[in-house]
Amino acid sequence: MRFSLLGPLEARRDDRPVPLGGVNQRAALGFLLLHANTVVSTSDLIRALWDDPVPPTARKMVQNAIAAVRRALPADGQVALRTAPPGYLLRVDPGDIDVTRFHALVDRGRADFRAQQWEPAARRLREALALWRGPAMADVTETGTVWPELTMLEETRLAALEDCLEAELALGRHHALIGEMTSLAEEEPARERLCGLLMLALYRCGRQPEALAAYQRLRDILRDGFGLDPAPELRDLERDILNQHPGLAPPLRTARDAAVTIEGAVAAEGAEAAAPAPERAPGPAGTRRSVSERKRASVLQVRTRVDVGYGDSECVDEALNELARVINEEARRYGGLVRETLGSVRPVVFGFPRSHEDDPERAIHAALAIRERITRRVSAFLGVQIAIATGEVLATYRDEGDTVPAQLSGTVPHAAEQLLAHTPPGTIRVCRATARAAGLPPLPEGDDVAAAGRELTLPPPAPAPPSAGTGAPLLGRDRDLAILRGLLGDVERRQRPHMATILGEPGIGKSRLIAEFVAGLPGPVLVGRTPPYAGEPLAPLADTLRSLPDGADPALRIERAPAEAGGAEWRRHITGLALDTPVTIVLEDLHRADGALLDQVEDLTERLPPVPLLIVVTARPELRQSRPRWGCGKRDVTTLTLDTLSPEDAGALLPRASDPQVLGLVGGNPRHAEEYARAVRACTGGANDGAPPVPARLRALLTARIDTLSLPERAVLRDATFFQGRVRVEGVAALSGRTTEETAEILYALERKDFLVRWRPITTPLVPSGCFWGEDPPRAPERASDREYSFRQPLLREIAHAQLPRSQRIAGHRRAIAWIATLPPGEVDLLVHHYRQLVVLNSPQLANDVARQARHALLDAERRATAAGAHDTAARCRRAARDLRPAPPPRPAPARAASRRVRRVGDPPVASYN
């Protein structure tokens, strides 16, 4: 069993995660792991879990947490948690803890560093840093826990990183380190050694003014914040930079070192386009990979105004703390991210780090809840204004292991600030985009800020009831409907409960199928739905009994709070109802449920007595991520996965005059077809004017689905969008700078999560053609690097690609061009798409130069393809080059005859302007 503390606390057994329970259990296990194989007293555990004041039941809570940890640990004897006065002892192999491996690698790397063995020192230190997946025990420290052990661990990481940077500078890799060192200097602006390394790297890159500016920034920070001057070593380094001391010159590098740090430039024209570009060497293990993405988000801002005439500062401080607690709780409840306070404004972002399809509604619900709680609790000397704005936001993550973005930029925060200026105290104001997305009445048109928002007095419309049909016909689901009806017949005949799980991507028609199935059933149908926001864990179970028909026995209803209606009580009520008649229970959107509800539902068929009860569960594929073995090995359990509709069925949901491109974007998803049908009718009145823009609801739906992926998976998915048709592992690896093995593994994970589909298996016969080996000759096993994929949904590819900033799209197309230059001549026509995109993406001032370079490169590609006999490929390159030719300049108008007439005596003089 292996434990990971360098990031969110994680325990894995046989490469499978082990559930660790709540915060107290995780904190207790983490503290014991930091002191593994030594006795930790109970009082030390109490001080680690709680600050003053310590709750009266702290000792009992520690005992409960230890008991929960013991249940989570395996019983194979490899890990043992024992009671040892005056506390507890965790016996574990030190090699199974990543902190121990980190310290061992750092010690070996520093030994090489002291011996000036720069190559092994850099390699081992990078290997140690690669163990970090974010801040140490991030899920525990997020609650405000601060341990000296974690502070020392973070300091060790920074010191090891500085040693690694110095070793790599000694190897002459200053060009490759500039970006990483600049980001680190922004995070740790007062670290003098880091500043000196950055100055040296900038100087060696020929950026002397920036090196001196870095020194000036550090000196200002130290003087203003601490009243200190930089260390003498830094002052000497500044003087040497000013004097261009020869000792600062980069060391001599071998060809191997140079190959690691130099990236191949894109050959744009002439013979350079024909020359194969060098491969982009992936960064060493542990290097930071920054990620940027564009998404639509809603920003809620709360401004506090304090009555300066109120003299009791302590009361003001208590009220402000209460306000901050209310904002944090409601933001957590509705899935918002609380950012750093800017003066008297507290911003909350909905849409980061994970998007939801209803982020504007979540922001409005959170604003209403905050206002209600503030009105009841916060004193009258505080005035609170709330504003919500929705729009595009650009997020930047410093590393793929980060859980939240380091920077958010865009016009949305400024729009919210402008709305705050027109918001009276005690009210909420929303922008036009927020009101439209939340389904509120339309706001009046206008250009001024006051007309761009409206005070929110009522909550947004309630969501549609569960299993509500859309009015569209049910197409392509006859087999699934027959299976459900057959299961209901088996339940009635066998008098035993059965559970059917219906899985499918968003919009595939799960609720529509359930609505068709339950229509006209003779027995009662009980419906519960997992809410999108955090609430009582077992509330959907209690809601099923509240949905009983009016004629049902009142004794079978649950009128109490959901928290009081536990799983055992709910099963008793259901059993009593099913004794008289077959019952169908529908639980929708179970992928949103937490562990308590999933535990109750997953074992229902084994906990219920023999009664005619059919439980139908609907969920998205994310359920498989939280519960990979959902339903496996359970009695009387069936799982249905809904496939996409055929082109004929999907086309029946669209207007007849729709553009054929719309059918390709729909991808067989009925919800997509209905949204596009609505958009076609609204935009064109049914006329065939091309594909309309992506409907806003579909964009939000698919963006939320993309955000179910981890940050590295999202990055690789976006890299795959640069390719049309087939997506190759080598091509994506060339774009992302990852190894082929890592890229193949992530693409395979995207295939399992239904984002990609395998194009076809590539196999190679082990014998030459013509040899007789029977019907099927033996074939070589498929390699992961040979796999080819395509996007399961074309619309998903379009939305994922649009999340990339324009600068990254330009860089991605250039890297794709460099990779295609290494392919055989018969595939050079792949350049056409990327050069066309470069022309479109560049500014008008550069478009002509880019088009000229692209035209020359395509003509050279045509010559290569012709020489290789790939005439079709050559023709496509030639046509693309011809399309990129600039339009001929307009011909000058013919001169008028009067201008050529000879001036005669007596004509009026002609005016001349010199």
Side-chain angles (χ1 to χ4, degrees):
M1 188 168 183
R2 302 183 75 86
F3 299 93
S4 177
L5 302 178
L6 304 180
L9 180 60
E10 187 180 69
R12 302 186 72 87
R13 184 184 184 190
D14 298 332
D15 292 332
R16 293 194 303 271
V18 176
L20 298 178
V23 176
N24 285 348
Q25 294 92 309
R26 303 175 75 88
L29 176 60
F31 194 78
L32 290 171
L33 287 170
L34 289 173
H35 302 83
N37 301 310
T38 59
V39 177
V40 178
S41 66
T42 305
S43 58
D44 288 342
L45 272 173
I46 292 175
R47 284 192 295 268
L49 268 62
W50 294 280
D51 296 328
D52 291 332
V54 176
T57 60
R59 187 170 294 272
K60 181 63 177 177
M61 295 169 71
V62 167
Q63 294 174 355
N64 294 336
I66 293 296
V69 171
R70 281 176 174 154
R71 289 193 297 270
L73 295 177
D76 52 10
Q78 296 182 1
V79 183
L81 178 54
R82 302 172 182 173
T83 301
Y88 303 95
L89 172 65
L90 180 64
R91 291 288 187 187
V92 60
D93 184 0
D96 292 338
I97 307 175
D98 60 352
V99 173
T100 307
R101 300 196 302 272
F102 168 73
H103 284 301
L105 287 170
V106 168
D107 292 341
R108 294 175 61 189
R110 284 178 173 168
D112 293 330
F113 181 87
R114 290 190 294 269
Q116 296 187 2
Q117 301 293 327
W118 307 123
E119 183 66 36
R123 183 176 65 255
R124 284 168 176 159
L125 290 172
R126 282 293 180 188
E127 186 178 353
L129 295 169
L131 296 174
W132 287 74
R133 299 173 293 109
M137 295 183 61
D139 50 344
V140 176
T141 58
E142 187 180 15
T143 62
T145 301
V146 179
W147 295 341
E149 295 86 352
L150 298 181
T151 304
M152 294 174 59
L153 194 58
E154 176 65 20
E155 180 61 31
T156 304
R157 183 188 71 87
L158 291 174
L161 182 54
E162 290 173 340
D163 288 341
C164 179
L165 294 174
E166 185 171 347
E168 292 180 338
L169 280 177
L171 293 170
R173 299 173 184 173
H174 40 274
H175 288 282
L177 297 174
I178 288 294
E180 179 183 5
M181 296 173 69
T182 303
S183 300
L184 289 173
E186 293 176 358
E187 296 178 11
E188 303 288 340
R191 292 188 74 90
E192 295 183 275
R193 184 186 179 193
L194 179 61
C195 178
L197 295 174
L198 176 60
M199 293 168 60
L200 182 60
L202 289 170
Y203 176 78
R204 289 179 175 177
C205 291
R207 297 158 66 174
Q208 180 177 346
E210 297 179 46
L212 296 173
Y215 175 81
Q216 296 292 338
R217 285 194 300 270
L218 176 68
R219 186 178 64 179
D220 295 340
I221 291 173
L222 293 179
R223 287 182 176 178
D224 297 341
F226 306 96
L228 300 174
D229 285 327
E233 294 82 3
L234 276 183
R235 296 198 296 268
D236 294 342
L237 178 60
E238 182 202 24
R239 184 177 61 254
D240 291 343
I241 290 176
L242 288 171
N243 298 329
Q244 297 185 357
H245 193 282
L248 300 181
L252 296 177
R253 294 177 298 167
T254 63
R256 179 179 179 275
D257 292 329
V260 173
T261 57
I262 299 178
E263 293 185 358
V266 177
E269 55 181 332
E272 294 179 353
E279 295 184 2
R280 183 185 183 193
T287 53
R288 289 176 176 261
R289 285 194 179 99
S290 62
V291 178
S292 299
E293 57 183 3
R294 295 190 317 164
K295 290 192 297 187
R296 194 169 181 83
S298 296
V299 177
L300 181 151
Q301 291 190 355
V302 182
R303 174 182 290 166
T304 308
R305 291 189 174 181
V306 181
D307 184 1
V308 295
Y310 192 81
D312 194 342
S313 299
E314 292 186 5
C315 290
V316 173
D317 184 66
E318 292 176 0
L320 291 175
N321 291 336
E322 174 70 11
L323 174 63
R325 188 178 67 82
V326 168
I327 294 175
N328 290 333
E329 290 179 357
E330 296 302 330
R332 189 182 308 111
R333 176 185 175 191
Y334 291 101
L337 173 65
V338 180
R339 302 293 290 178
E340 295 181 2
T341 301
L342 304 175
S344 62
V345 177
R346 288 177 169 84
V348 183
V349 182
F350 293 85
F352 289 96
R354 177 175 175 180
S355 295
H356 304 87
E357 55 199 83
D358 55 350
D359 282 318
E361 294 96 320
R362 289 171 179 261
I364 291 176
H365 281 295
L368 291 168
I370 291 172
R371 183 176 64 176
E372 181 182 359
R373 293 181 61 180
I374 289 174
T375 304
R376 292 199 315 262
R377 299 185 182 183
V378 179
S379 303
F381 53 81
L382 289 183
V384 177
Q385 306 162 275
I386 303 178
I388 305 173
T390 301
E392 290 285 341
V393 175
L394 176 64
T396 301
Y397 298 81
R398 290 196 178 101
D399 184 66
E400 289 181 347
D402 293 348
T403 56
V404 295
Q407 181 180 358
L408 295 175
S409 58
T411 60
V412 181
H414 302 285
E417 291 177 4
Q418 292 180 351
L419 287 175
L420 278 177
H422 295 80
T423 303
T427 59
I428 303 171
R429 201 166 184 83
V430 300
C431 72
R432 184 177 292 110
T434 304
R436 182 170 54 250
L440 297 176
L443 301 178
E445 296 293 333
D447 296 331
D448 59 325
V449 177
R454 166 176 290 178
E455 294 178 13
L456 183 65
T457 57
L458 297 175
S467 299
T470 60
L474 183 66
L475 300 174
R477 301 295 182 217
D478 295 339
R479 173 181 172 274
D480 305 298
L481 193 59
I483 292 176
L484 290 178
R485 288 171 177 168
L487 292 176
L488 182 60
D490 290 343
V491 165
E492 296 178 3
R493 177 175 52 84
R494 301 170 60 196
Q495 296 291 300
R496 286 174 57 179
H498 195 99
M499 183 171 68
T501 303
I502 302 176
L503 297 176
E505 64 188 42
I508 201 64
K510 301 181 292 293
S511 297
R512 182 69 184 86
L513 174 65
I514 294 298
E516 188 76 16
F517 169 65
V518 302
L521 288 183
V525 178
L526 312 183
V527 179
R529 187 176 191 180
T530 308
Y533 319 124
E536 295 295 343
L538 302 183
L541 299 183
D543 290 342
T544 58
L545 290 179
R546 292 196 182 96
S547 66
L548 279 170
D550 295 336
D553 185 358
L556 297 176
R557 295 177 178 273
I558 291 183
E559 301 294 346
R560 292 178 296 167
E564 300 177 11
E569 183 180 356
W570 179 82
R571 290 193 298 273
R572 181 176 61 82
H573 280 72
I574 291 297
T575 302
L577 182 62
L579 290 175
D580 301 328
T581 180
V583 177
T584 302
I585 298 178
V586 178
L587 297 174
E588 292 210 75
D589 296 333
L590 208 64
H591 57 277
R592 298 171 176 167
D594 62 359
L597 180 58
L598 293 177
D599 291 339
Q600 292 290 336
V601 176
E602 189 174 14
D603 298 332
L604 270 180
T605 56
E606 298 182 352
R607 294 184 179 184
L608 287 170
V611 290
L613 178 66
L614 178 64
I615 306 108
V616 182
V617 172
T618 67
R620 295 179 183 175
E622 295 92 273
L623 178 63
R624 290 292 192 187
Q625 300 179 25
S626 58
R627 292 295 175 98
R629 300 183 60 82
W630 175 265
C632 294
K634 303 294 183 181
R635 184 184 66 179
D636 298 325
V637 172
T638 302
T639 300
L640 299 177
T641 301
L642 299 186
D643 294 326
T644 55
L645 299 179
S646 65
E648 294 76 14
D649 290 336
L653 298 175
L654 295 170
R656 293 185 177 180
S658 299
D659 188 272
Q661 184 183 359
V662 175
L663 183 60
L665 292 174
V666 164
N669 188 298
R671 171 76 178 277
H672 297 182
E674 293 172 12
E675 292 292 341
Y676 263 111
R678 189 179 296 111
V680 168
R681 296 188 187 99
C683 296
T684 66
N688 188 356
D689 294 334
V694 179
R697 293 181 181 177
L698 284 188
R699 186 176 295 277
L701 192 72
L702 292 178
T703 301
R705 188 184 175 205
I706 293 173
D707 277 4
T708 62
L709 302 172
S710 64
L711 208 55
E713 290 173 338
R714 296 208 300 265
V716 171
L717 181 73
R718 296 186 185 112
D719 288 334
T721 61
F722 283 92
F723 300 98
Q724 289 184 318
R726 291 180 294 174
V727 177
R728 305 184 190 179
V729 175
E730 290 89 349
V732 179
L735 261 69
S736 61
R738 306 171 192 268
T739 63
T740 304
E741 293 76 12
E742 180 186 3
T743 305
E745 182 179 353
I746 295 179
L747 289 175
Y748 178 61
L750 293 174
E751 178 194 5
R752 287 186 288 122
K753 295 178 180 180
D754 289 334
F755 285 85
L756 301 177
V757 61
R758 190 83 59 91
W759 185 268
R760 67 173 181 270
I762 299 179
T763 56
T764 304
L766 292 177
V767 296
S769 59
C771 294
F772 179 77
W773 286 78
E775 265 186 44
D776 297 318
R779 296 182 177 273
E782 178 193 10
R783 295 184 305 172
S785 59
D786 292 335
R787 293 172 184 163
E788 297 180 352
Y789 299 89
S790 62
F791 278 83
R792 186 173 291 274
Q793 290 182 339
L795 190 58
L796 189 70
R797 174 186 177 273
E798 180 177 339
I799 292 176
H801 191 73
Q803 291 180 344
L804 288 166
R806 186 174 65 91
S807 60
Q808 292 189 10
R809 278 182 272 174
I810 293 175
H813 285 295
R814 291 196 175 277
R815 289 196 294 269
I817 290 171
W819 173 72
I820 294 171
T822 64
L823 297 179
E827 300 183 72
V828 293
D829 56 340
L830 297 175
L831 295 169
V832 173
H833 165 68
H834 300 285
Y835 275 122
R836 285 175 174 170
Q837 292 300 313
L838 282 180
V839 174
V840 172
L841 291 172
N842 276 280
S843 61
Q845 294 81 1
L846 299 176
N848 289 334
D849 292 338
V850 174
R852 176 178 57 83
Q853 296 172 2
R855 189 169 61 254
H856 291 171
L858 288 173
L859 291 176
D860 185 81
E862 178 202 357
R863 291 191 292 269
R864 292 175 56 201
T866 302
H871 300 291
D872 293 339
T873 300
R876 284 190 287 271
C877 294
R878 183 171 57 254
R879 286 194 298 269
R882 185 175 61 247
D883 295 339
L884 291 175
R885 287 184 301 184
R891 294 182 178 181
R896 292 179 299 177
S899 63
R900 297 193 300 269
R901 183 170 58 88
V902 179
R903 184 172 179 271
R904 298 174 180 173
V905 178
D907 288 344
V910 179
S912 176
Y913 298 92
N914 295 325

